[in-house]
Amino acid sequence: MQCIVNRRDQFSAISRYWLPELSEIENLQKFGAYSKFPGHGHNYVLFISMLGEIDEYGMVLNLSDVKHVIKREITGQLDFSYLNDVWTEFQPTLPSTENIARVIWKRLAPHLPLVRVQLFENPQLWADYRGEGKQADLTIRTHFSAAHRLAPNLSAEKYGKCTNTHGHNYHLEVTVEGEIDSRTGMVVNIAALNQVVEDYVVKIFDHSCLNDDIPYFANIVPTTENIARYISNLLESPIDELGVKLSNVKLFESHQLWADYTGNDMQGYLNISTHFSSAHRLAHPDLSLPENTEIYGKCARVNGHGHNYQLELTVKGEIDPSTGMVIDLGALNQVITDYIVEPFDHTFLNKDIPFFAKVVPTAENIALYISNTLRSPIQELGAKLYKVKLVESPNNACEIYITD
């Protein structure tokens, strides 16, 4: 079974957006404060995603080895550097977030089985690069506060307080895709993109009651799925005019619930985040303690260790025209609780979950077990389990995509 493993790292660096062929005024007009001498700095956060088969030891890769590769090839060189000068790739093309991600891919690809390089310039702006020439994704994050009620089509008996008018601090992520410019290193003018999102979404939605103030929701239930779909419809044309394509709208109702809409008619994605606390020990039952220590390091210690695991589940389905939902949310939460959280929480996985008596409970194997356990009960609810993401620590996570 194939699995994606993610390794987090970070570096602090300075850069300047300045093209010598332009005058000072032209650079200021094009790049704003980013053009000022001597430059500006960021605490960049880097996520490297790698794909492979889960081996007999429960791993795609030894993440300790991955950590050393990333430090040697990337962060050890970029940390506390002036990006414009540190690598020759930033001479012809400015070190924008998109271009840094592209060059990081180029330098890591000979060493790691990459599927994505994700680079955060700050929590409101990041880029994703997947090795597709000059193609890259850029995401901006914003927010608005709004009231809504899940009415008129949902019963108070089934959905309780959600049929009353209530509110959320919604967080919105808008992702566009396009080609990295050979000089500026940019996919799109970020200021223009931010202005489009502000004008077409935030100004309209912020401090409103969606059911009463947005005509579209007079007869459409403003679920997270439907709101994301409507925002996508609002943004598609003005973003096209910026020379890029809208590829995803992600709307967070809370830290535990969010929806993705990719522009595919009535198809939507609903995401649930939950957690459980478990102990485990990484040790293959057929190997000695020295052999396990050689493979797993400290994780093979005989008394085990533990984590607060964060579990993110993505389900895929058609947005129901009556309820506005991809799946019955209450029923989905109950399935997750019954099949995963209750059996896993406050346990020693090797001893308390029979499956892991003979299978090493790495994050990869735990995620695979969860995906196999939840597929059928979620399908019985009328949707499809699309992705399982298990975050073991701030630096290590894995993802299983269900393809069949």
Side-chain angles (χ1 to χ4, degrees):
M1 180 67 181
Q2 288 201 319
C3 176
I4 293 174
V5 291
N6 305 301
R7 175 68 192 181
R8 177 188 179 277
D9 215 316
Q10 60 191 31
F11 59 91
S12 300
I14 186 173
S15 65
R16 186 187 184 197
Y17 292 176
W18 176 273
L19 296 176
E21 64 266 28
L22 301 182
S23 68
E24 183 174 350
I25 293 176
E26 289 171 326
N27 273 294
L28 187 61
Q29 290 174 338
K30 194 172 190 67
F31 302 118
Y34 288 86
S35 69
K36 292 182 178 180
F37 179 84
H40 58 282
H42 299 287
N43 296 320
Y44 290 96
V45 178
L46 174 65
F47 290 91
I48 303 298
S49 299
M50 299 148 285
L51 177 68
E53 296 285 338
I54 301 175
D55 65 20
E56 62 180 313
Y57 304 112
M59 299 188 291
V60 170
L61 293 164
N62 187 311
L63 288 179
S64 179
D65 296 339
V66 170
K67 176 177 69 174
H68 293 303
V69 170
I70 295 171
K71 183 176 182 179
R72 183 187 73 233
E73 300 295 330
I74 307 300
T75 56
Q77 300 179 45
L78 296 185
D79 200 25
F80 291 91
S81 73
Y82 183 61
L83 295 176
N84 299 65
D85 293 339
V86 68
W87 285 344
T88 57
E89 292 94 336
F90 298 140
Q91 298 300 313
T93 309
L94 294 177
S96 64
T97 308
E98 306 95 294
N99 194 38
I100 300 170
R102 182 185 71 87
V103 176
I104 287 173
W105 174 290
K106 178 181 175 182
R107 287 174 172 252
L108 283 179
H111 309 284
L112 299 172
L114 302 177
V115 290
R116 181 182 66 218
V117 170
Q118 185 177 65
L119 183 65
F120 282 74
E121 180 176 299
N122 59 59
Q124 285 75 47
L125 176 67
W126 62 94
D128 289 87
Y129 184 76
R130 296 178 175 84
E132 299 172 348
K134 291 187 175 182
Q135 282 289 127
D137 293 347
L138 189 76
T139 301
I140 61 170
R141 194 172 204 254
T142 186
H143 61 91
F144 58 87
S145 301
H148 75 151
R149 57 187 177 275
L150 299 189
N153 299 329
L154 305 183
S155 70
E157 180 180 350
K158 186 170 185 180
Y159 293 98
K161 294 180 180 179
C162 290
T163 56
N164 298 331
T165 301
H166 60 287
H168 301 284
N169 295 321
Y170 290 96
H171 287 267
L172 173 65
E173 296 176 6
V174 175
T175 301
V176 300
E177 61 181 53
E179 285 202 355
I180 297 172
D181 185 86
S182 60
R183 286 297 282 133
T184 67
M186 296 178 180
V187 164
V188 66
N189 184 308
I190 296 171
L193 178 60
N194 276 315
Q195 194 62 55
V196 162
V197 175
E198 176 72 20
D199 291 344
Y200 284 83
V201 180
V202 177
K203 285 182 180 179
I204 299 169
F205 283 69
D206 193 37
H207 284 73
S208 73
C209 179
L210 301 180
N211 305 68
D212 301 324
D213 298 326
I214 309 293
Y216 179 81
F217 293 115
N219 297 303
I220 301 291
V221 186
T223 57
T224 311
E225 297 98 310
N226 268 337
I227 302 170
R229 182 171 180 264
Y230 182 56
I231 289 173
S232 177
N233 291 338
L234 291 175
L235 291 176
E236 185 176 6
S237 291
I239 284 177
D240 278 347
E241 293 174 6
L242 298 179
V244 288
K245 178 185 176 183
L246 177 64
S247 62
N248 191 61
V249 168
K250 186 187 296 287
L251 184 67
F252 288 78
E253 182 178 295
S254 71
H255 294 302
Q256 289 78 41
L257 178 67
W258 64 97
D260 287 272
Y261 184 74
T262 58
N264 189 7
D265 195 24
M266 293 299 289
Q267 182 176 277
Y269 300 84
L270 189 71
N271 306 271
I272 297 284
S273 177
T274 187
H275 60 89
F276 56 88
S277 301
S278 299
H280 71 159
R281 179 188 178 222
L282 302 189
H284 194 285
D286 297 332
L287 299 179
S288 66
L289 178 59
E291 289 171 325
N292 276 310
T293 302
E294 178 69 23
I295 296 169
Y296 301 111
K298 293 185 292 184
C299 296
R301 289 177 177 171
V302 293
N303 293 318
H305 62 286
H307 302 283
N308 292 319
Y309 289 95
Q310 179 185 332
L311 175 63
E312 298 176 9
L313 299 170
T314 304
V315 298
K316 171 183 173 182
E318 295 289 310
I319 301 173
D320 186 282
S322 176
T323 67
M325 296 181 175
V326 165
I327 193 172
D328 183 321
L329 182 57
L332 176 60
N333 276 318
Q334 194 61 55
V335 162
I336 296 167
T337 298
D338 291 346
Y339 283 84
I340 303 301
V341 177
E342 280 299 323
F344 277 60
D345 193 37
H346 285 74
T347 64
F348 197 128
L349 297 177
N350 307 63
K351 300 177 181 179
D352 298 324
I353 306 296
F355 179 79
F356 294 115
K358 293 292 184 181
V359 176
V360 184
T362 58
E364 295 96 315
N365 274 335
I366 299 170
L368 180 59
Y369 176 82
I370 290 172
S371 70
N372 290 336
T373 301
L374 290 179
R375 277 192 227 192
S376 292
I378 288 176
Q379 191 169 1
E380 290 173 6
L381 297 178
K384 179 183 177 182
L385 180 62
Y386 176 73
K387 182 178 76 169
V388 172
K389 181 176 181 180
L390 187 66
V391 182
E392 185 177 86
S393 73
N395 291 333
N396 299 330
C398 68
E399 303 168 30
I400 298 282
Y401 284 83
I402 290 79
T403 56
D404 53 8

